[in-house]
Amino acid sequence: ESSGSREAAAVALAVRGRHLGRDDSDEAERCLLEALAIFRDTGAAGRCGSTLSSLAAVYEARGEVARAEKTFREAVGTLRKTQEQGHLVEAERRLAEVLVKQGKIEEAERVVTEAQRRVSREDVWTRASLLHASGLVRAAQGRTDEAIAALTEALEVVEPTMYVILTDAIRESLRSLDSTAEPIRS
């Protein structure tokens, strides 16, 4: 506030909203919506897309899956118009996961496949998160062996890193698969 920069204030609001996330979803939503209004007003399209993605995550955490889908779609549409490829791929990944939750498996598969085409080998987080999403799609399709393979590969990519939250999410997805399925060995 003391800087007088509206964009700096919006960045602070967006960071606060992401930080609050699940702990105080109403306040997170308020901060993110306020940040979004400023970003739209100042023409910061990339930040709009990223903030929309964060807002969609709040809706998803609340169980408002249809609202999350709509907001992730808006984030993806906004980010496609920018050069924010990393944020775009993550928004697409999150959209795919929400689509799986709603049984829109074919569309989720298309979204993940398209996103995977833009990820570099060096982008460990995004490669692993997209492999995770791909595993969730395969599991929803009943293709358990392929799901286990994708999740195992995701774990191999991310486990040596500091990304503990993603590592734990992938492990949880592996645990939730049918324990009678034959694991795929590398």
Side-chain angles (χ1 to χ4, degrees), residues 121-185:
R121 268 202 83 63
E122 292 77 32
D123 189 343
V124 173
W125 170 277
T126 305
R127 276 184 49 230
S129 70
L130 283 170
L131 283 164
H132 182 225
S134 182
L136 297 176
V137 169
R138 299 290 177 260
Q141 292 169 328
R143 297 159 60 183
T144 307
D145 289 347
E146 291 175 46
I148 290 171
L151 293 169
T152 300
E153 185 179 350
L155 198 55
E156 289 169 0
V157 168
V158 77
E159 204 166 33
T161 71
M162 64 183 177
Y163 301 127
V164 178
I165 294 171
L166 180 56
T167 302
D168 289 347
I170 295 166
R171 283 188 184 129
E172 180 59 32
S173 294
L174 273 167
R175 277 192 294 273
S176 72
L177 285 175
D178 183 0
S179 61
T180 63
E182 284 292 318
I184 295 178
R185 309 268 183 232

Side-chain angles (χ1 to χ4, degrees), residues 1 6-21 24-40 47-48 50-52 54-56 58-59 62:
E1 290 177 5
R6 293 184 69 221
E7 190 162 348
V11 169
L13 284 163
V15 168
R16 179 169 167 69
R18 279 191 294 276
H19 176 73
L20 289 170
D24 186 351
S25 68
D26 290 341
E27 181 62 11
E29 179 183 27
R30 187 198 67 72
C31 288
L32 292 166
L33 286 171
E34 189 175 340
L36 187 58
I38 295 169
F39 289 141
R40 283 181 171 147
R47 292 189 191 267
C48 279
S50 178
T51 303
L52 281 163
S54 296
L55 184 60
V58 169
Y59 298 147
R62 278 190 202 159

Side-chain angles (χ1 to χ4, degrees), residues 94-105:
R94 296 295 306 268
L95 172 60
E97 291 173 356
V98 166
L99 290 169
V100 167
K101 287 180 179 180
Q102 297 183 95
K104 299 176 181 180
I105 310 307

Side-chain angles (χ1 to χ4, degrees), residues 103-118:
K104 299 176 181 180
I105 310 307
E106 288 180 27
E107 184 180 3
E109 182 176 28
R110 283 192 306 275
V111 170
V112 168
T113 300
E114 177 64 31
Q116 286 175 319
R117 290 186 185 125
R118 289 190 305 278

